[in-house]
Amino acid sequence: MDLSIVDLAPIPEGGSATEAFENTVERARNAEELGYSRVWVAEHHDFTDSLASTTPEALIPHIAAKTSDIRVGSGTVLLNHYSPYKVAESFSVLDALAPGRIDLGLGRATGNPVSDRALQTDRSQHRAGSNDDHREKINEVAAHLYDGFPDDHSFSQLELARARETIPDIWVLGSSPSSAAIAGQLGLRYCFAAFIRPGPAVRALEAYRENFQPSSFGAGPDEPHGMIAANVTCAETDEEAARLRATTEATHQRLRQGTIDRPPIRSTEAAIDELGYVPDPTPTSLEPGQWPRQISGSPATMRELLDQMTDQTGVEEVVIQQQLADPDDVLRSHELLADAADLSPR
């Protein structure tokens, strides 16, 4: 099993975006040493009192410059807000700065209506876009990067600043069978966000494989290549891991209640107080379609749970997301997970 991480750059109590990015770099370096495959940074807007990762294309080169060979990428670029050509230009430059190490994760989302509107150049659009529109925009990004436009297409004359021999790997990120089908039809890599909607995970990866046909211009792999992203907490015991998971559960509770604008949760104790309980350990048997949104456990438990998730979906890599209050707990969780997955330290 391969492991990777997606980092949200949480802002520590009393800190700033500067400290958040320093912690992100520390986690990236630690992940590289432990043998993780890639580190991705998220795109979140209007959470700047708690999360600093708003602009993956700015944070990626900083992380790449502070590491040696781990792949670095976006998890995700919200393509509904941007020009495909500009995204392709940005990531071609990133690949030239760190040849052979850049992942371009493409997705879509709507959030706060104010930030969504502020991001748009066409203010008449207030939605993530139809599946056909999303598919077309992803394909356009890929065609810019991989010279996929027909000779008679007006965009075929456009050139990108490039590395000599490499091109970013393109991933489609989503949480539904429809996004999986788009990735398969375009012949691109696919990552399913089980921390958003765990229920359709197995069905989505099936849809990806059923729809897969290699890219006509070589923008993806010859065979389906999928992975899953999961919210995972690992500690020395199942009980301690469940206790640390309280921060994630309290954050999700706020999302359900529409109270995410409250002051950030800065400690495990504060999260437990807000929930009114200490979370129970995750069940050690996961049924398809009934995965919990967050999983936790000791290294032995996590190995069993991750094996079940990858076996059921037919993938060999898991991208780890964590929302723990203490940065030291995050680093320790990454270390324990690396041991559980038998990663080979660099």
Side-chain angles (χ1 to χ4, degrees):
M1 183 190 305
D2 293 326
L3 293 181
S4 296
I5 64 171
V6 58
D7 198 286
L8 310 183
I11 298 175
E13 184 173 11
S16 66
T18 301
E19 285 87 356
F21 296 145
E22 289 172 351
N23 290 339
T24 292
V25 168
E26 182 180 10
R27 287 188 287 271
R29 286 174 164 169
N30 187 58
E32 181 173 64
E33 292 173 0
L34 291 170
Y36 283 72
S37 298
R38 63 191 88 241
V39 55
W40 286 355
V41 287
E43 178 181 343
H44 285 286
H45 300 284
D46 202 39
F47 293 102
T48 49
D49 60 341
S50 57
L51 303 176
S53 185
T54 63
T55 317
E57 64 271 26
L59 193 49
I60 287 168
H62 181 66
I63 296 172
K66 300 289 186 179
T67 53
S68 298
D69 63 359
I70 194 169
R71 296 191 67 89
V72 187
S74 57
T76 180
V77 168
L78 301 179
L79 190 55
N80 51 302
H81 295 314
Y82 309 117
S83 154
Y85 179 49
K86 185 58 179 176
V87 172
E89 279 193 317
S90 297
F91 276 79
S92 185
V93 167
L94 293 177
D95 184 62
L97 291 169
R101 296 177 57 199
I102 301 300
D103 291 334
L104 169 53
L106 297 171
R108 57 179 168 174
T110 56
N112 183 307
V114 177
S115 59
D116 282 352
R117 182 171 172 77
L119 287 163
Q120 293 292 332
T121 55
D122 180 0
R123 298 289 168 83
S124 67
Q125 300 292 324
H126 303 297
R127 55 189 175 83
S130 67
N131 283 338
D132 287 343
D133 178 66
H134 189 49
R135 183 185 188 281
E136 182 178 335
K137 293 185 79 171
I138 292 172
N139 195 50
E140 188 175 319
V141 174
H144 281 301
L145 285 168
Y146 284 81
D147 293 328
F149 292 108
D151 291 341
D152 59 353
H153 195 290
S154 59
F155 290 170
S156 65
Q157 63 186 300
L158 297 174
E159 297 287 341
L160 302 178
R162 296 185 180 275
R164 187 179 301 276
E165 297 177 349
T166 62
I167 305 175
D169 282 353
I170 301 175
W171 291 80
V172 177
L173 280 64
S175 57
S176 68
S178 62
S179 63
I182 289 172
Q185 291 160 5
L186 296 178
L188 301 175
R189 298 165 180 82
Y190 180 66
C191 178
F192 180 83
F195 60 87
I196 296 176
R197 293 181 66 219
V202 174
R203 185 158 48 92
L205 270 297
E206 289 173 349
Y208 171 57
R209 286 186 286 270
E210 290 168 358
N211 283 273
F212 187 86
Q213 49 188 341
S215 166
S216 60
F217 49 88
D222 294 332
E223 300 290 336
H225 188 135
M227 63 181 174
I228 53 175
N231 194 292
V232 176
T233 302
C234 193
E236 276 76 5
T237 67
D238 290 349
E239 291 72 21
E240 176 62 11
R243 190 184 75 86
L244 295 176
R245 200 182 77 230
T247 308
T248 305
E249 293 208 4
T251 300
H252 180 62
Q253 177 176 276
R254 288 184 175 188
L255 286 170
R256 294 198 313 270
Q257 296 173 343
T259 57
I260 197 66
D261 56 344
R262 296 169 60 185
I265 302 167
R266 302 295 192 185
S267 72
T268 303
E269 290 70 25
I272 291 171
D273 287 344
E274 186 164 322
L275 288 171
Y277 60 87
V278 177
D280 291 328
T282 303
T284 55
S285 180
L286 302 178
E287 296 297 324
Q290 299 180 28
W291 297 359
R293 193 179 299 271
Q294 306 95 20
I295 59 174
S296 64
S298 66
T301 297
M302 287 314 312
R303 179 67 201 215
E304 176 63 25
L305 292 172
L306 293 176
D307 276 343
Q308 291 180 48
M309 296 174 82
T310 54
D311 287 347
Q312 290 174 25
T313 54
V315 303
E316 296 180 351
E317 183 172 356
V318 180
V319 184
I320 303 300
Q321 185 201 72
Q322 294 182 324
Q323 294 175 287
L324 307 186
D326 189 332
D328 289 337
D329 288 333
V330 176
L331 291 174
R332 182 57 179 157
S333 182
H334 288 168
E335 291 167 359
L336 294 172
L337 286 167
D339 288 341
D342 295 324
L343 300 188
S344 299
R346 285 177 174 83

